[in-house]
Amino acid sequence: MWSYVLRRVLIAILVIFAASFLVYVLAANSGDPLEELRGSTAPNKEALIAARIQLLHLDIAPPLRYFIWLGGVLKIFIGQLDLGATLTGSAVTTVLSQSMWSTLQLVSIATVLAILFGVSIGMISALRQYSGFDYSVTLIAFFFFALPTFWVGQLLKLNIAIAFNDFLASPQIPPVWIAVIALVAAFVWASAMGGQLKRFAINFGLAGVLTAGILIYVNLTDSIRHPNLGPIWIGIIGIAAAVVITQLTTGLSNRRALFSALTVALLGAILWWPVQFAFYYLAEWWAMFGLLLVALAIGALVGWLWGGDDRGVSIRAAMITAFISSLLVLVDRILGAWPDYVSNTGGRPISTIGSETPGLNGSIWLTSVDSFAHILLPTVTIMLISLASYSRYSRGSLLEVMSMDYVRTARAKGLNERTVIMRHAFRNALIPIATIVAFDLGGLIGGAVITETVFAWRGMGTMFVQALKVVDLNSIMGVFLVTSIFALLFNLLADITYSVLDPRIRVS
Amino acid sequence: MTNPLAAIPPEGSGEIITIEQQETAGLSQGAIVRRRFFRHVGAMVSLGVVLLIVIIAFSSVGFNIFGWKIPGWWPYDYTNYFPIERPGGAPTWDLPFSFGSHPFGQDDIGHDVFAQVMRGTQQSIILMVIYGGVSGVIGVAVGAVAGFFRGRVDAVLMRLTDVIIIVPVVLLGAVIGRTYGSLGVFVLALTLGAFGWAILARLVRGEFLSLREREFVDAARVAGASNARIIFRHILPNTAGVLIVNVSLTMSAAILLEAALSYLGFGINPPDVSLGQILAHYQSAFATRPWLFWWPGILLIIIVLAINFIGDGLRDAFDPRQRRMPARPGPYRELAQIIGTPFRRRTSTVAADSPEETRD
Amino acid sequence: MKIKRLAAGVALVATGALVLAGCTPPRESEVVEGTKITVAMNDVYSGYNTLLTNLNSLYNAQVVYMAQDTFAYYNDKSELVKNTDFGTYEKTSDDPLTVKYTINSGVKWSDGTQVDAADMLLYWAAVTTHATNGEATVDEETGAVTDQTGTVWNTGAAEGIGFDLVSKTPTLSDDNRSMTVVYDKPYADWELVSPIGVSGHGTVELAFPDKYTGDDGAKTAKADLIKAIQDQDFDFLGPVSKAFNTGYTFNTMPEEGSPALLSNYAYTITDMKADEYVTLTANPDYTWGPSPKFESITVRAVPDSQAQLTALQNGDIQIASGQPTPDIATALANGIPNVAYEGASESSFEHIDLQVTNGGPFDPATYGGDADKALAVRKALFMTIPRQDIIDKLVKPLQDNAEVMNTLVSFPGTDVANEAAKVNGYPDLEVPDVAGAKQVLADAGITTPVDVRLLFSQTNERRNSEYTLWAPIAAEAGFNLINASSTTWSSDLDTKQTSYDAALFAWILNNTGRTQNAPNYITGGANNYYGWSADSVDEPFKAIDTETDGAKADELLVQAEKAIGEQYWSVPVFQFPGITAWDESKVSGVTASPLTPQYFWNFWEWTPVAAG
């Protein structure tokens, strides 16, 4: 295993050298780094041009200049990585170290969400192949795929940010909207659940009434201005989650697992109160992480106590429920900062530019809301790009697996549908998706380039575009180096994931 | 949206209509694929739409081919400007049939938007086809050689593929567009395509790796077939599914790539136009002069959507394992049966057509 | 961390109060507590020392404008306004040209030190070549000078140009508040020199971090600096120049109280995030000029103008500015709730130049050395340019008060520009005269069609449109205007003179200086890529260089412009359109302005609108 990884890394380094040479020569030939100076009327123009030529070695032909750049990169082995200077004279390493994280943050959150939503949507539409749900999802997925990214960004700004912020002035959802949302939600749920007309109608009615009820409740309690969950809702949602998780992992017939999960959900609601003190006195992220570990431990303990013979299953269900309950409690606390944040931003919380509100110094709850309000739209934009392909690939993948002989065998054995899908089909359907995710990372970073420009998000994407416009070679190469290292890393991870998901494949 | 009902035979109609059921009747693979594809309503409609768009785009404003200028039937050309007829260049198209002289409107200086959009469509389609062709040919060549010969050749070619694959396509595209965008759509498409084959090469290589172990390849080899013959006559046709599907998706991605590059300012350069370029240029015209933004926007979406549906249809058609499972009718069909006649008549029309189809 | 900041804040306020109590307060602060405003810039802020070549950007200048005071600034009418609240300058002698700068008493850096001659002397040392030893070796890795040997100032100083003409070390007054400079020869733009930049003692403290720590550290630092410059003590100046070159290139917040943050104006930088924003907070010590109203100003970088407008609409920013698209202008004109706007041209201007020595249609050599024939062809071509139409179709939609530009060598809107327009002949070329152009060609006996290759930026949509508008009219008159646009147009200008006959691009004017245009037009000038050469043009420019009397220099400028106009070498088209838009419900008093620092010029007049 380790020798395999080592060999891959060594090859990867060689590959990066080759690719960087290619990009360097291409980029060097793409324009004139002196363009802006040539249009200047400054009296010392000649001197400025000469200085820049000397600074960036423009008198040396690109293929040779590459090795000067490479020399700086190789200094990483003596601990002084040097990626050269930008056109404005700052070190590329400094600029990159700042922009790198905002892009990776954006891309990683979007990727995780896109995988979660894409794979679940794709799998549901595979299970309901040629249903209304399947056709709607296909059409919507293709539609979003066909929209150019910058268009999506602009649409989101106008229709989500500005519209929502205007709406906040008097946050009451109009009855027409309640009806529309309820109908759409009812359709989605009922179609996803499947079944014959009677079951469909029941599901449709239930989902519709439930959605409308929640929205009316939100209106009545003015929850948009003062959102909070409180122990009651944490309990209710926790119990619902417990039931769903048990159903998906072991089936509701396993009473011990069900009771473990339910106990944890209830504990979550009860522990809400003491945890508030922890939130007050220990408002730091490491403390939050510690609390999460404690919650998982409690989950494990509950599962072990209820477990009986088949402890592992109960522990798993309980721990997943514990994780969800903890998140709920945390979300509840962060929501508590919402009114404060809204007043801090002059009543217009959802932002269309940048990654944070300047000069907002507050608790971690306030800054969490701030990050959320800024990252929301760019993330959704990037997510929508890859959502389509993930849902299509996982649909196809699951369909293929479902027609395999071993699935037929499993059915023939008399296993119920849940076990067949979750145990036999799901896991195998994930294997090809791992490759797609690795391939897609390059596309995501590309999407980030556009998204960052639209949302004035100062990451590697903006850096790259600005750099390419003025042929700032060192900046271009810096961005390229980081992205390609990450692309290779993900490829490697995909290969390792392979061996985890598919025992037949051995990496050596 | 396509009607899901049209493709699904009514329950218990007793007719032999699913193509899968005919496989035993001795249809060739190609015939089965063709039949399945023709059955995919979404793909068929999309194919029609794409053909229509191509015909209109190329016939309306004409085109140059190797220096021959073939004129079109549209009176205005995309480079010249004309007196602005309505305030702000608004479309002269009054519903329903009074088109006026500039039905799609005019821009700031009086260019005819219809001519520009048609020229843009041409350019986008040319880019798409060339990009798909170039990346397809290189991808197949690299993948086939690597997968067939394995060993050192494979290792070298796959590392080369890695070199291409790790460069995010927009980054590379932007650099290429910045350099070659001024040389017109052909050069841009060729250079972009020259770097767009990596994923296809990997997929083809995977197919070759597994196919070359199959019995029919051994049989061919024993019969004395050369490597070239085995590759081209025996293995390659079997990878057609993966190939065609992937190339069609790459093509639709190429249009979007060009749009993204145009937005960043690295796409096709003026005075020539592409759909993405018009769209990016007029993104702020969204609300104020909608005709500048929406025509190219709608066309771009339609083309990409249609190509995707065609790709989807091809995937279904080529996948021998994926069968239709019309066993259980969904709630809508049940509802339709309850509501009665209109839907039933429609489904029965399909059923009545089907036997005819099976005859040829 | 928080406590430390709080403590520093308290200390700052306390010091401020003490200082206020100590002096007679000339003006009461009008800063409204708790008010903040966020404004947008097109690009990022990258450093505090705008004298450095690598930090000399409009965007740095805009931010620094609010933190570093100057002797004069440009108002929205492009007039140079003397800032007598800060200090005064006067010409004490014409021969040799001698100027005395005096800083007012009570003008202080934000650490409480008086702004004085040490700061001015540092400016002189830095922007001239006279306090430099050895060679200017720019460190090749970082761009700024990090690994220098000896004393090097990275300000792009060039021998014998501008302030460099002051070769003798300036003399200081006894109270150290005045500096007198003597120019070696007269210099026309002496008024544009404002010898004050980053602080002298702060730079010394940055150079020797542990040396000047005591109570009178700043005082000693100033004295040492003055002495070192006067004595040319390069052992001392070496590290100082290094600190000057690198110490202010911060784009993340330096440590609390770092000398790199010293301000001598209304605001102090208090917070920043690299490439995203920089926040300035009202300087409590600032009492000598008009008081600002906002307690803090945050400047955010939003490159895309559409994004700026959406952000303005959404309340993320309160002032936006930049080159709009026609649709942004229309959207503004149609009215967006609470958003007001004003158009003001930017300082770049579009113009068309003709090549006269490349063997093309405008080169006398083509006609066997017949200069009159070549001139006739140039004149005829200029007569076909639809300048008014270009403005109407391409510029007015962006800025409704835009006009055809009719001056090449002076700043539009100024008196001298109006005078120049009377004699340079450009107003006669606003509308194309095809018949006239044909006549001119026929009279000169030119066989048409004449091929003219027009070079411009291929990626620039507007220049493509200009070409589209021009080409058919030129064709009517007998010119075959060939699209020779290129993506490498800027280097082609200089290096491929034979590949084009006419060039369409923009010059950037940073100030109203009278000497800056000479290199474009004089024989062998640095920006004269076209082989232009005429005594009638060279002479007035040569005279301007040394004419220190403003009125006389203006006369010479008009004369030069007339001569250029008669040669039909170059014709101006328009100033770049610009729009400044702001949120009326949050701020009032915003005025657009063409020259640097653009709409920031009257930041002290920005007034919060009470929420209501």
Side-chain angles (χ1 to χ4, degrees):
Chain A
M1 175 80 181
W2 287 113
S3 74
Y4 168 77
V5 171
L6 191 72
R7 207 172 64 229
R8 281 290 302 264
V9 169
L10 283 178
I11 293 172
I13 290 175
L14 291 179
V15 165
I16 287 183
F17 283 153
S20 63
F21 181 77
L22 181 79
V23 174
Y24 194 94
V25 174
L26 276 175
N29 287 320
S30 70
D32 175 15
L34 300 170
E35 176 167 327
E36 135 230 35
L37 285 182
R38 289 188 209 271
S40 136
T41 53
N44 56 353
K45 182 171 140 177
E46 301 282 296
L48 294 177
I49 289 181
R52 183 170 287 182
I53 289 177
Q54 196 199 349
L55 165 68
L56 301 173
H57 303 288
L58 296 180
D59 45 349
I60 301 174
L64 293 177
R65 220 189 304 151
Y66 168 78
F67 291 98
I68 299 179
W69 178 81
L70 188 62
V73 176
L74 289 178
K75 279 194 201 159
I76 193 169
F77 293 114
I78 52 168
Q80 332 172 304
L81 178 66
D82 184 350
L83 297 178
T86 66
L87 280 195
T88 53
S90 346
V92 170
T93 40
T94 327
V95 184
L96 253 188
S97 64
Q98 289 148 3
S99 57
M100 191 167 84
W101 295 117
S102 48
T103 300
L104 292 181
Q105 186 191 7
L106 202 63
V107 170
S108 51
I109 295 178
T111 311
V112 170
L113 289 179
I115 294 174
L116 273 182
F117 284 110
V119 170
S120 18
I121 290 174
M123 299 232 162
I124 293 172
S125 59
L127 294 177
R128 309 269 170 263
Q129 195 191 11
Y130 299 125
S131 69
F133 181 83
D134 185 21
Y135 282 103
S136 322
V137 163
T138 306
L139 194 74
I140 292 171
F142 278 175
F143 182 74
F144 276 113
F145 178 76
L147 274 179
T149 314
F150 59 89
W151 194 354
V152 177
Q154 189 62 21
L155 282 175
L156 288 179
K157 278 188 186 184
L158 293 174
N159 297 316
I160 308 285
I162 295 186
F164 179 78
N165 288 338
D166 287 345
F167 163 76
L168 270 189
S170 60
Q172 287 290 316
I173 309 165
V176 182
W177 278 103
I178 295 184
V180 171
I181 297 172
L183 280 176
V184 171
F187 171 76
V188 171
W189 279 110
S191 319
M193 303 291 270
Q196 298 292 305
L197 183 61
K198 192 173 156 199
R199 197 173 143 203
F200 182 86
I202 294 172
N203 283 336
F204 191 92
L206 269 180
V209 169
L210 203 65
T211 313
I214 291 175
L215 292 178
I216 291 169
Y217 173 84
V218 163
N219 261 355
L220 289 178
T221 53
D222 202 11
S223 291
I224 293 175
R225 274 210 192 102
H226 306 283
N228 69 325
L229 293 171
I232 296 172
W233 279 105
I234 291 174
I236 293 174
I237 302 174
I239 288 168
V243 173
V244 172
I245 288 163
T246 320
Q247 162 70 8
L248 287 181
T249 53
T250 61
L252 289 178
S253 54
N254 188 335
R255 293 291 155 186
R256 289 177 180 277
L258 181 63
F259 289 146
S260 309
L262 287 176
T263 313
V264 171
L266 278 177
L267 272 178
I270 295 165
L271 287 176
W272 174 83
W273 193 70
V275 166
Q276 298 304 309
F277 290 95
F279 282 162
Y280 186 79
Y281 291 107
L282 294 169
E284 300 284 351
W285 283 118
W286 59 263
M288 296 305 109
F289 190 68
L291 283 176
L292 182 67
L293 290 184
V294 172
L296 290 178
I298 292 175
L301 183 69
V302 170
W304 189 77
L305 290 175
W306 272 109
D309 297 336
D310 199 5
R311 286 215 163 100
V313 175
S314 301
I315 291 177
R316 190 175 59 190
M319 280 179 77
I320 297 176
T321 315
F323 181 74
I324 290 176
S325 284
S326 320
L327 277 189
L328 286 173
V329 174
L330 187 68
V331 165
D332 174 67
R333 179 62 193 88
I334 291 176
L335 283 178
W338 175 255
D340 197 15
Y341 180 69
V342 171
S343 68
N344 245 312
T345 49
R348 305 193 67 86
I350 305 293
S351 167
T352 61
I353 49 166
S355 62
E356 63 178 48
T357 305
L360 185 81
N361 290 316
S363 61
I364 59 168
W365 318 120
L366 199 64
T367 44
S368 302
V369 179
D370 188 46
S371 302
F372 171 77
H374 281 82
I375 210 169
L376 177 70
L377 297 186
T379 308
V380 172
T381 311
I382 300 186
M383 198 183 84
L384 284 177
I385 310 168
S386 28
L387 197 63
S389 53
Y390 287 163
S391 72
R392 293 309 292 166
Y393 276 114
S394 44
R395 175 180 179 271
S397 176
L398 188 62
L399 279 179
E400 192 175 328
V401 170
M402 293 291 277
S403 65
M404 289 285 185
D405 289 342
Y406 61 82
V407 171
R408 199 175 298 166
T409 314
R411 284 217 178 91
K413 277 197 295 190
L415 294 179
N416 64 10
E417 194 65 12
R418 186 197 62 75
T419 320
V420 172
I421 293 168
M422 294 305 291
R423 285 274 171 79
H424 294 82
F426 182 71
R427 199 180 148 115
N428 286 306
L430 282 181
I431 296 173
I433 297 173
T435 334
I436 298 301
V437 171
F439 283 155
D440 208 51
L441 193 84
L444 275 170
I445 290 176
V449 172
I450 311 284
T451 312
E452 284 176 11
T453 312
V454 175
F455 290 97
W457 185 279
R458 311 298 308 197
M460 287 193 298
T462 345
M463 181 178 167
F464 175 81
V465 173
Q466 303 282 341
L468 189 58
K469 280 193 175 146
V470 294
V471 202
D472 182 348
L473 212 50
N474 289 335
S475 299
I476 296 173
M477 294 310 292
V479 173
F480 162 76
L481 202 62
V482 174
T483 49
S484 53
I485 287 174
F486 272 88
L488 274 176
L489 215 66
F490 266 73
N491 266 315
L492 185 61
L493 276 179
D495 284 352
I496 294 171
T497 318
Y498 256 14
S499 65
V500 175
L501 286 172
D502 189 347
R504 282 172 307 181
I505 298 172
R506 226 178 287 141
V507 288
S508 57
Chain B
M1 190 181 143
T2 59
N3 186 349
L5 304 179
I8 301 171
E11 203 182 7
S13 60
E15 308 275 0
I16 301 171
I17 38 163
T18 65
I19 293 154
E20 291 75 21
Q21 282 165 287
Q22 295 174 31
E23 281 172 35
T24 47
L27 283 178
S28 73
Q29 172 73 11
I32 294 173
V33 167
R34 215 177 308 124
R35 290 282 182 83
R36 280 162 166 252
F37 181 69
F38 288 155
R39 277 295 183 78
H40 197 290
V41 179
M44 286 312 291
V45 170
S46 302
L47 192 64
V49 168
V50 169
L51 284 178
L52 192 70
I53 289 177
V54 168
I55 290 168
I56 294 179
F58 280 86
S59 68
S60 60
V61 291
F63 52 95
N64 278 313
I65 181 158
F66 303 118
W68 288 73
K69 172 115 182 91
I70 294 162
W73 46 263
W74 187 246
Y76 305 103
D77 107 308
Y78 71 98
T79 45
N80 292 339
Y81 63 98
F82 309 95
I84 291 175
E85 293 212 353
R86 293 204 175 166
T92 54
W93 187 354
D94 292 320
L95 288 173
F97 295 119
S98 162
F99 289 104
S101 45
H102 300 289
F104 277 25
Q106 288 171 289
D107 71 0
D108 325 27
I109 63 172
H111 286 120
D112 180 61
V113 175
F114 181 79
Q116 290 219 310
V117 169
M118 285 304 118
R119 173 70 182 183
T121 309
Q122 280 183 18
Q123 300 287 299
S124 294
I125 288 173
I126 291 173
L127 181 115
M128 175 178 96
V129 172
I130 295 181
Y131 183 94
V134 170
S135 64
V137 168
I138 303 181
V140 168
V142 172
V145 170
F148 186 79
F149 294 105
R150 298 192 298 190
R152 199 156 290 169
V153 179
D154 181 30
V156 170
L157 285 177
M158 279 304 106
R159 294 298 82 76
L160 179 70
T161 312
D162 281 345
V163 170
I164 306 291
I165 219 167
I166 64 167
V167 188
V169 66
V170 169
L171 299 199
L172 197 64
V175 172
I176 291 172
R178 177 90 162 76
T179 321
Y180 299 111
S182 56
L183 301 179
V185 68
F186 285 95
V187 179
L188 185 69
L190 280 173
T191 32
L192 283 178
F195 291 101
W197 48 265
I199 291 179
L200 183 69
R202 281 211 172 179
L203 292 172
V204 171
R205 168 181 173 265
E207 290 286 306
F208 264 72
L209 279 180
S210 72
L211 287 172
R212 76 188 295 282
E213 306 298 335
R214 296 274 285 273
E215 295 81 357
F216 66 88
V217 175
D218 289 339
R221 196 169 285 132
V222 168
S226 67
N227 281 339
R229 189 179 165 83
I230 293 176
I231 290 178
F232 287 111
R233 297 302 297 270
H234 296 277
I235 306 186
L236 201 56
N238 281 294
T239 64
V242 172
L243 199 71
I244 293 177
V245 170
N246 196 273
V247 167
S248 70
L249 295 179
T250 311
M251 282 161 72
S252 68
I255 292 194
L256 291 170
L257 174 66
E258 197 278 326
L261 294 182
S262 286
Y263 174 75
L264 298 174
F266 306 126
I268 288 181
N269 281 336
D272 217 329
V273 290
S274 72
L275 287 181
Q277 188 217 44
I278 307 178
L279 204 56
H281 186 206
Y282 291 115
Q283 47 156 335
S284 58
F286 197 71
T288 44
R289 289 182 294 171
W291 60 92
L292 292 176
F293 183 85
W294 286 101
W295 292 121
I298 291 170
L299 262 168
L300 185 114
I301 292 180
I302 290 179
I303 294 176
V304 176
L305 214 53
I307 300 283
N308 269 312
F309 270 114
I310 294 173
D312 208 40
L314 288 171
R315 175 168 31 215
D316 281 0
F318 272 106
D319 189 347
R321 283 184 300 246
Q322 197 172 311
R323 289 150 204 263
R324 258 169 224 281
M325 288 179 279
R328 275 176 285 165
Y332 307 105
R333 277 192 29 73
E334 212 179 324
L335 192 69
Q337 282 167 0
I338 292 168
I339 295 170
T341 45
F343 280 93
R344 194 168 293 160
R345 193 174 300 143
R346 183 148 183 197
T347 47
S348 64
T349 321
V350 174
D353 285 347
S354 303
E356 270 174 51
E357 230 174 89
T358 55
R359 253 178 256 137
D360 50 39
Chain C
M1 178 67 199
K2 230 177 264 171
I3 292 174
K4 202 171 144 197
R5 242 187 233 176
L6 189 68
V10 169
L12 207 70
V13 173
T15 332
L18 283 178
V19 170
L20 278 174
C23 317
T24 45
R27 276 192 187 86
E28 210 158 297
S29 171
E30 294 164 34
V31 173
V32 185
E33 218 174 300
T35 49
K36 53 184 183 184
I37 184 172
T38 306
V39 304
M41 233 167 30
N42 293 320
D43 206 343
V44 296
Y45 165 81
S46 56
Y48 198 55
N49 186 355
T50 51
L51 296 176
L52 297 177
T53 48
N54 54 325
L55 299 182
N56 180 15
S57 77
L58 166 68
Y59 311 103
N60 290 338
Q62 289 180 329
V63 171
V64 168
Y65 180 71
M66 299 186 282
Q68 293 177 15
D69 215 343
T70 53
F71 283 98
Y73 60 87
Y74 281 113
N75 67 8
D76 55 339
K77 301 191 175 53
S78 307
E79 296 160 341
L80 196 64
V81 180
K82 289 187 180 181
N83 182 8
T84 49
D85 293 324
F86 174 75
T88 52
Y89 58 91
E90 55 175 333
K91 187 169 67 177
T92 52
S93 156
D94 264 326
D95 191 25
L97 174 62
T98 309
V99 187
K100 183 181 181 191
Y101 297 90
T102 308
I103 290 166
N104 294 349
S105 170
V107 173
K108 289 190 168 66
W109 291 104
S110 47
D111 63 355
T113 319
Q114 166 77 30
V115 181
D116 64 16
D119 306 311
M120 293 195 276
L121 202 58
L122 175 67
Y123 177 94
W124 173 80
V127 306
T128 66
T129 55
H130 310 301
T132 303
N133 76 345
E135 283 152 32
T137 47
V138 182
D139 181 90
E140 60 196 32
E141 302 295 347
T142 62
V145 185
T146 52
D147 205 22
Q148 67 195 54
T149 51
T151 306
V152 182
W153 313 88
N154 190 22
T155 54
E159 214 159 311
I161 292 177
F163 202 55
D164 199 61
L165 293 170
V166 182
S167 65
K168 281 196 288 287
T169 308
T171 51
L172 312 182
S173 69
D174 292 340
D175 63 358
N176 252 351
R177 286 197 290 109
S178 302
M179 176 173 92
T180 307
V181 299
V182 180
Y183 286 83
D184 296 348
K185 62 175 192 177
Y187 173 54
D189 282 333
W190 62 271
E191 270 207 84
L192 297 183
V193 176
S194 172
I196 183 79
V198 293
S199 73
H201 67 287
T203 311
V204 173
E205 285 168 16
L206 282 174
F208 306 100
D210 304 319
K211 204 169 158 191
Y212 298 97
T213 46
D215 282 344
D216 50 359
K219 216 170 152 190
T220 329
K222 278 174 186 288
D224 286 359
L225 177 66
I226 292 171
K227 193 164 174 303
I229 293 175
Q230 285 169 340
D231 299 349
Q232 302 266 304
D233 173 2
F234 291 118
D235 290 340
F236 184 86
L237 290 181
V240 171
S241 67
K242 191 172 170 181
F244 183 87
N245 292 337
T246 60
Y248 295 96
T249 315
F250 57 89
N251 49 12
T252 48
M253 274 307 273
E255 264 177 67
E256 203 79 52
S258 159
L261 284 170
L262 284 180
S263 146
N264 62 354
Y265 203 16
Y267 286 93
T268 317
I269 292 178
T270 49
D271 191 13
M272 65 170 63
K273 180 163 187 211
D275 292 351
E276 253 191 52
Y277 65 83
V278 46
T279 299
L280 300 106
T281 307
N283 174 5
D285 295 352
Y286 169 71
T287 52
W288 50 89
S291 169
K293 318 292 186 287
F294 280 97
E295 190 176 4
S296 84
I297 296 178
T298 298
V299 186
R300 288 186 91 148
V302 186
D304 182 52
S305 52
Q306 178 69 31
Q308 278 197 17
L309 189 72
T310 325
L312 184 69
Q313 233 174 316
N314 193 35
D316 298 324
I317 56 172
Q318 279 79 52
I319 307 179
S321 167
Q323 279 206 47
T325 68
D327 298 285
I328 289 178
T330 315
L332 284 169
N334 291 346
I336 297 171
N338 293 330
V339 172
Y341 73 99
E342 185 185 10
S345 304
E346 296 189 341
S347 53
S348 301
F349 72 91
E350 196 101 326
H351 64 104
I352 297 163
D353 293 343
L354 303 183
Q355 263 290 357
V356 300
T357 50
N358 68 343
F362 311 119
D363 184 354
T366 310
Y367 310 100
D370 188 342
D372 290 342
K373 257 191 175 174
L375 184 91
V377 180
R378 298 203 291 269
K379 181 179 178 185
L381 182 73
F382 279 179
M383 287 169 84
T384 64
I385 307 174
R387 287 162 78 222
Q388 185 63 50
D389 205 32
I390 289 174
I391 311 296
D392 289 346
K393 286 193 172 132
L394 300 177
V395 188
K396 276 206 177 147
L398 312 181
Q399 184 198 339
D400 43 22
N401 54 0
E403 286 173 5
V404 179
M405 182 164 164
N406 279 325
T407 175
L408 277 174
V409 298
S410 49
F411 204 83
T414 55
D415 289 341
V416 53
N418 296 336
E419 281 305 310
K422 285 179 194 159
V423 294
N424 60 17
Y426 294 137
D428 302 332
L429 298 171
E430 283 179 9
V431 235
D433 174 7
V434 174
K438 273 184 178 161
Q439 190 60 49
V440 171
L441 287 178
D443 290 349
I446 306 291
T447 44
T448 52
V450 180
D451 281 350
V452 176
R453 295 161 299 170
L454 182 68
L455 175 72
F456 56 95
S457 163
Q458 187 166 15
T459 51
N460 186 314
E461 300 263 359
R462 188 157 62 207
R463 287 183 193 146
N464 275 285
S465 294
E466 285 168 52
Y467 168 79
T468 312
L469 287 175
W470 182 15
I473 298 170
E476 278 178 53
F479 287 101
N480 182 16
L481 198 63
I482 298 165
N483 182 339
S485 62
S486 147
T487 50
T488 54
W489 64 275
S490 60
S491 58
D492 293 355
L493 270 181
D494 198 4
T495 54
K496 292 188 194 155
Q497 268 104 341
T498 49
S499 72
Y500 67 98
D501 305 309
L504 168 68
F505 65 103
W507 289 125
I508 307 159
L509 294 175
N510 293 316
N511 55 49
T512 58
R514 297 181 179 92
T515 57
Q516 63 178 333
N517 287 301
N520 300 5
Y521 305 103
I522 57 169
T523 309
N527 302 327
N528 180 350
Y529 309 122
Y530 319 105
W532 296 340
S533 176
D535 289 344
S536 60
V537 176
D538 291 354
E539 275 160 18
F541 273 122
K542 212 169 271 172
I544 288 168
D545 249 352
T546 56
E547 181 54 69
T548 57
D549 183 325
K552 279 185 196 152
D554 284 348
E555 271 171 38
L556 288 168
L557 266 186
V558 173
Q559 200 184 322
E561 176 128 13
K562 182 165 182 278
I564 298 169
E566 281 165 356
Q567 293 290 342
Y568 294 97
W569 283 341
S570 175
V571 60
V573 187
F574 57 83
Q575 269 182 289
F576 279 19
I579 269 187
T580 299
W582 62 94
D583 185 343
E584 276 183 314
S585 68
K586 301 273 168 54
V587 57
S588 66
V590 181
T591 321
S593 171
L595 279 165
T596 312
Q598 299 186 342
Y599 73 88
F600 286 85
W601 77 275
N602 67 339
F603 67 86
W604 58 85
E605 288 178 357
W606 299 349
T607 311
V609 175

